[in-house]
Amino acid sequence: MEELIKVKNLNLFFGSKHILKSINMSIYKKSVTAVIGPSGCGKSTYLRCFNRMNDYNGAKIDGEIMLDGEDINSKNTDVTKLRMKVGMVFQKPNPFAKSIFENVAFGLKIHGKLKTYEIENRVEESLKSVWLWDEVKDRLKESALLLSGGQQQRLCMARALATNPEIVLLDEPTSALDPNSTRKIEDLCLELKGKVTILIVTHNIAQAARISDYTAFLYLGELIEYNETKLIFTVPKDKKTEEYISGKFG
Amino acid sequence: MKRKFIEILGETFLRLSIIISLIFLFLFLFMIFSKGIKVISWEFLTRMPRSGMTKGGIYPAILGTFWITIVSIFIAFPIGIFSGIFLSEYGKPKWLVDIIKTSINTLSGTPSIVFGLFGLSVFVIGLNLKVSILSGGLTLAILILPTIINSTVEAINSVPFDFREAALSLGATKSQVIRNVVLPYAMPGILTGTIISVGRAAGETAPILFTAATFYSRRLPKSLMDEVMAMPYHIYALMTEGTSPQYQIPIAYGTAIVLLILILFINGSAIFLRYRIRKRRG
């Protein structure tokens, strides 16, 4: 498998608290990588390193995250361009209080340069890719807040996909959803990985097993084990991993 | 049994409070309207005062209040909103911002006559703007600025962080987040604050006493540098300096009715505007 991102000796501190401890890990192109671990292990914070969303909470970071041969933590990185390449979907569906169309077009419009018909095409394409097009094509001008929770979350995925990112970060995207909507998002991940790399944080171990190709187990800020999902779930090397996936703690 | 008793007692108390409030409101409206309604007519609204202010209309006062209010809003609205945005989004360090916010709060509690004195010394005399619409508008602008800044800061702070995060994660710059996400969401709240200020600016007497208002004017204002009649001051003047109270007191009450209806109209249209914005975003 081809590498998209390489994390080298990543450490993160909030004040004197050492949250992420010397993480080394590769993320492979066009695959689904799951990050699992008990609450408070730092998995969401870790995810936010990949699009520099920790810039706003006073975190101190050292180590490298290489994407396309550049360290995204470098001072020269243009975070607005980085975030076009690295999309994100959050735990709670958070569409803007704008129309369905404007939500998906948001990323395209703020970066400018595209003509109206190009934006329209991309919006349609993105909505189709998250299987939302047929449900909303007649009501693109309606407020996105009128959609159901599951639809909103897929809209957020469409919004993240509209700028054609190389990787999408999913931060527990189904934790606020009902089982049916969850199922849809999971199926969607499997479908989308042909086009885009997916890094998903989940507290749902079964979900990681169902949809991911690689699984990383994070515990108290340390990367305990990282391997192909089928190996992690059948022959874990570390005792902690085994205990966690068999439900002994967490 | 005892819990149920407390429950009933509590509800009765709350009900009584609202009844008392309504009684006062009703009495208030009744007094004003019963004393002033008989002078209200089309002529009252559209004509100049006549015969030593015992007859005729209050058209110049309506016009004066209108212009003073418009000037103050045009000055205070942009400055207030931009200050509010700066304080909540860009202001650093935090302790200095906190001091500024506290000062603004204090300013908003300052008696309005103090603003009148300030306007007199700075605008009327200092900048030599004379007693004029401009001086009065500027003075009122300073009076309502704290309200607009405060409501802007509060409205911006109430924007859920989720929205900012979503916009940032799509590669928006800070100013794009503010323009595209924060301000549209905060706008109804900002408008509410501004509406309250419009009503206040239109109704204040003390700040325009030395800066804009005149007891009687033979002609309508031609420019921002003219002094004008204004409704609140007209009421004050008729009640304190009037020479034929039997005619002038009803005119004062009539003016109060017009002022009340004007403020009701301003607030109503702003509430309607806010409703439209909220409805549009669903």
Side-chain angles (χ1 to χ4, degrees):
Chain A
M1 280 301 244
E2 205 183 335
E3 219 172 53
L4 176 69
I5 291 178
K6 194 167 182 67
V7 180
K8 289 185 201 163
N9 206 14
L10 183 75
N11 283 282
L12 185 145
F13 303 84
F14 284 135
S16 60
K17 275 197 204 148
H18 199 172
I19 305 293
L20 298 174
K21 298 167 186 166
S22 307
I23 294 178
N24 288 286
M25 161 172 170
S26 294
I27 294 162
Y28 299 100
K29 271 187 186 165
K30 301 194 173 171
S31 61
V32 177
T33 303
V35 180
I36 59 171
S39 297
C41 71
K43 49 190 194 304
S44 280
T45 306
Y46 180 49
L47 192 74
R48 284 158 183 264
C49 290
F50 294 93
N51 62 348
R52 296 268 302 262
M53 287 301 278
N54 287 318
D55 285 11
Y56 312 104
N57 53 20
K60 242 190 91 230
I61 295 172
D62 63 51
E64 291 178 357
I65 297 179
M66 304 298 293
L67 168 66
D68 293 336
E70 280 168 47
D71 178 14
I72 67 168
N73 286 327
S74 126
K75 282 210 164 68
N76 305 324
T77 305
D78 178 348
V79 289
T80 63
K81 289 205 176 110
L82 169 72
R83 287 170 189 161
M84 276 185 89
K85 291 198 273 185
V86 185
M88 187 166 198
V89 175
F90 297 82
Q91 195 165 348
K92 223 177 87 202
N94 58 356
F96 300 123
K98 296 176 188 287
S99 72
I100 293 170
F101 181 89
E102 288 299 328
N103 263 278
V104 184
F106 189 86
L108 302 169
K109 285 192 174 171
I110 56 173
H111 292 285
K113 291 182 191 143
L114 286 180
K115 297 198 175 70
T116 313
Y117 75 91
E118 289 176 306
I119 291 179
E120 281 168 4
N121 288 344
R122 289 276 277 278
V123 169
E124 179 174 344
E125 207 178 292
S126 302
L127 285 170
K128 277 180 177 160
S129 74
V130 298
W131 308 325
L132 205 54
W133 178 250
D134 290 331
E135 293 163 53
V136 303
K137 65 182 174 201
D138 302 320
R139 42 195 280 220
L140 293 173
K141 292 215 166 100
E142 271 178 38
S143 168
L145 303 182
L146 299 173
L147 297 172
S148 74
Q151 286 174 321
Q152 287 188 7
Q153 196 61 309
R154 279 186 286 142
L155 183 74
C156 292
M157 287 187 83
R159 184 174 69 183
L161 290 168
T163 55
N164 279 335
E166 295 178 34
I167 177 168
V168 181
L169 312 170
L170 307 178
D171 187 2
E172 305 204 17
T174 61
S175 64
L177 302 182
D178 64 88
N180 274 331
S181 306
T182 298
R183 176 77 190 277
K184 246 188 178 145
I185 300 270
E186 290 182 3
D187 290 346
L188 194 54
C189 289
L190 292 171
E191 167 95 10
L192 286 172
K193 75 174 182 182
K195 295 181 223 156
V196 63
T197 310
I198 293 174
L199 182 61
I200 178 171
V201 159
T202 177
H203 63 274
N204 181 339
I205 303 167
Q207 183 171 64
R210 281 195 294 269
I211 65 171
S212 70
D213 304 299
Y214 299 90
T215 298
F217 174 53
L218 216 57
Y219 182 64
L220 299 177
E222 278 180 74
L223 181 61
I224 303 292
E225 194 167 349
Y226 178 46
N227 212 332
E228 285 182 42
T229 300
K230 56 178 188 264
L231 294 176
I232 290 263
F233 280 89
T234 49
V235 283
K237 288 189 187 119
D238 195 282
K239 197 158 178 308
K240 266 269 165 317
T241 316
E242 188 182 348
E243 283 177 10
Y244 182 68
I245 59 176
S246 60
K248 287 217 176 72
F249 73 96
Chain B
M1 204 52 219
K2 191 174 164 225
R3 284 203 304 164
K4 188 152 188 190
F5 175 72
I6 290 176
E7 196 73 8
I8 293 168
L9 193 74
E11 199 185 319
T12 313
F13 178 73
L14 297 179
R15 194 164 295 179
L16 213 63
S17 306
I18 185 70
I19 289 172
I20 292 171
S21 306
L22 287 176
I23 287 174
F24 277 117
L25 181 67
F26 178 77
L27 271 179
F28 168 81
L29 290 175
F30 178 76
M31 293 307 284
I32 304 274
F33 273 81
S34 65
K35 291 191 177 179
I37 197 78
K38 58 178 175 282
V39 301
I40 300 283
S41 66
W42 186 243
E43 196 198 353
F44 187 69
L45 298 175
T46 54
R47 292 284 169 80
M48 305 289 284
R50 279 187 293 120
S51 316
M53 312 259 264
T54 54
K55 286 183 182 145
I58 55 161
Y59 181 61
I62 297 177
L63 207 65
T65 290
F66 175 78
W67 281 115
I68 295 172
T69 310
I70 290 288
V71 168
S72 69
I73 292 301
F74 265 79
I75 295 164
F77 192 57
I79 297 178
I81 289 183
F82 292 139
S83 308
I85 294 171
F86 180 82
L87 283 179
S88 52
E89 298 284 339
Y90 293 94
K92 263 181 202 167
K94 195 178 172 299
W95 61 266
L96 186 59
V97 172
D98 286 343
I99 290 176
I100 293 174
K101 280 185 188 163
T102 311
S103 316
I104 289 171
N105 276 327
T106 313
L107 205 58
S108 70
T110 306
S112 53
I113 187 74
V114 179
F115 284 94
L117 285 176
F118 171 82
L120 174 68
S121 65
V122 173
F123 301 126
V124 179
I125 299 168
L127 296 175
N128 201 22
L129 298 176
K130 306 276 166 36
V131 174
S132 64
I133 296 176
L134 189 59
S135 292
L138 283 164
T139 310
L140 283 176
I142 291 177
L143 175 86
I144 61 177
L145 207 47
T147 318
I148 298 178
I149 295 175
N150 276 338
S151 55
T152 305
V153 169
E154 265 166 46
I156 287 179
N157 289 346
S158 74
V159 177
F161 190 69
D162 295 11
F163 289 141
R164 296 167 188 270
E165 234 177 15
L168 287 169
S169 80
L170 290 162
T173 61
K174 187 169 183 174
S175 71
Q176 283 174 327
V177 174
I178 294 170
R179 273 181 291 138
N180 295 311
V181 178
V182 174
L183 283 185
Y185 192 90
M187 206 34 95
I190 296 174
L191 278 180
T192 310
T194 311
I195 294 155
I196 294 168
S197 344
V198 176
R200 184 153 181 224
E204 276 288 352
T205 317
I208 57 170
L209 204 56
F210 320 125
T211 57
T214 173
F215 179 44
Y216 176 66
S217 153
R218 285 176 179 283
R219 58 186 185 90
L220 296 174
K222 289 206 171 61
S223 80
L224 291 182
M225 299 313 291
D226 283 349
E227 56 179 11
V228 285
M229 292 176 68
M231 284 190 276
Y233 182 67
H234 192 57
I235 298 171
Y236 171 79
L238 287 175
M239 297 302 284
T240 54
E241 292 165 36
T243 45
S244 345
Q246 70 273 33
Y247 301 113
Q248 288 167 335
I249 288 176
I251 293 180
Y253 278 95
T255 310
I257 294 174
V258 177
L259 190 56
L260 279 178
I261 290 173
L262 178 82
I263 291 170
L264 192 72
F265 177 75
I266 294 170
N267 286 8
S269 51
I271 289 166
F272 177 70
L273 194 70
R274 195 175 63 193
Y275 167 78
R276 285 266 305 271
I277 294 176
R278 285 204 178 135
K279 197 174 160 202
R280 202 176 60 214
R281 76 175 188 218

